[in-house]
Amino acid sequence: NAGVTQTPKFQVLKTGQSMTLQCAQDMNHEYMSWYRQDPGMGLRLIHYSVGAGITDQGEVPNGYNVSRSTTEDFPLRLLSAAPSQTSVYFCASSPWGNTEAFFGQGTRLTVV
Amino acid sequence: AQKVTQAQTEISVVEKEDVTLDCVYETRDTTYYLFWYKQPPSGELVFLIRRNSFDEQNEISGRYSWNFQKSTSSFNFTITASQVVDSAVYFCALSEAQNTDKLIFGTGTRLQVFP
């Protein structure tokens, strides 16, 4: 099993560009989440999903969109990249709530 | 409001020393879950432990032990006889029964173990 796979691992964007960070899991987990990690701030929840077709906002959702059309995939869209979105992004999945989360390897995004 | 505080930003120890990482949490929920994750220099996040609010028993797993005290809202993590491979950033996190997949992370403690 591959677990949680994020692509790309690294990305540089220009301000104003859009892009999609991909996240796929092969564990048939219902719950999936996106976090961003910034120095000194830990991980903060951007968006999450408790199943296909269901998404909700986390702590820092502005500037990001998500959708969940399948159980396996949970892409994160940056609509118009800003330097403040420079961060490391982690996707996570878990079989149900309040249990161990499995994290992807992360995507390091730089917006110039 | 939920909050997790890891007051120790960075700790340095010499190999074989014992080290305790502190975690203090805030929640209004009576049912909640506490976690510790490890982030080694390679960057991935590795699950270490999950504890629910009704289980205050301490847990030991090899060189790792966890002390959960509801009276002080703390969930501290001790590494006994530390090793260089323990060098990592350690995160404490909280989730509440009413917000099932919202993990609230602390800011992390960077542990450096020197040979």
Side-chain angles (χ1 to χ4, degrees), chain A residues 22-43:
Chain A
Q22 301 290 346
C23 175
Q25 52 95 4
D26 61 359
M27 298 173 281
N28 203 32
H29 287 172
E30 290 296 324
Y31 285 65
M32 296 187 75
S33 308
W34 276 102
Y35 294 85
R36 60 178 288 174
Q37 182 178 15
D38 302 294
M41 301 191 74
L43 282 84

Side-chain angles (χ1 to χ4, degrees), chain B residues 27-100:
Chain B
T27 177
R28 293 191 191 130
D29 211 339
T30 55
T31 304
Y32 53 89
Y33 301 82
L34 296 163
F35 303 80
W36 276 94
Y37 284 86
K38 174 182 180 179
Q39 186 176 43
S42 52
E44 76 274 19
L45 283 136
V46 178
F47 168 82
L48 294 178
I49 191 170
R50 166 187 177 264
R51 178 64 93 209
N52 74 56
S53 53
F54 298 107
D55 183 1
E56 284 194 74
Q57 280 194 333
N58 290 338
E59 177 145 347
I60 298 174
S61 176
R63 296 184 297 106
Y64 295 172
S65 63
W66 290 269
N67 179 257
F68 176 29
Q69 291 196 333
K70 286 177 77 170
S71 60
T72 56
S73 298
S74 64
F75 187 44
N76 297 337
F77 173 31
T78 296
I79 302 174
T80 302
S82 59
Q83 300 176 2
V84 173
V85 293
D86 295 326
S87 296
V89 181
Y90 291 87
F91 291 99
C92 181
L94 162 75
S95 69
E96 297 171 331
Q98 293 186 6
N99 295 290
T100 54

Side-chain angles (χ1 to χ4, degrees), chain A residues 77-90:
Chain A
R77 296 182 189 84
L78 280 70
L79 308 173
S80 177
S84 60
Q85 293 178 303
T86 293
S87 187
V88 180
Y89 291 85
F90 286 96

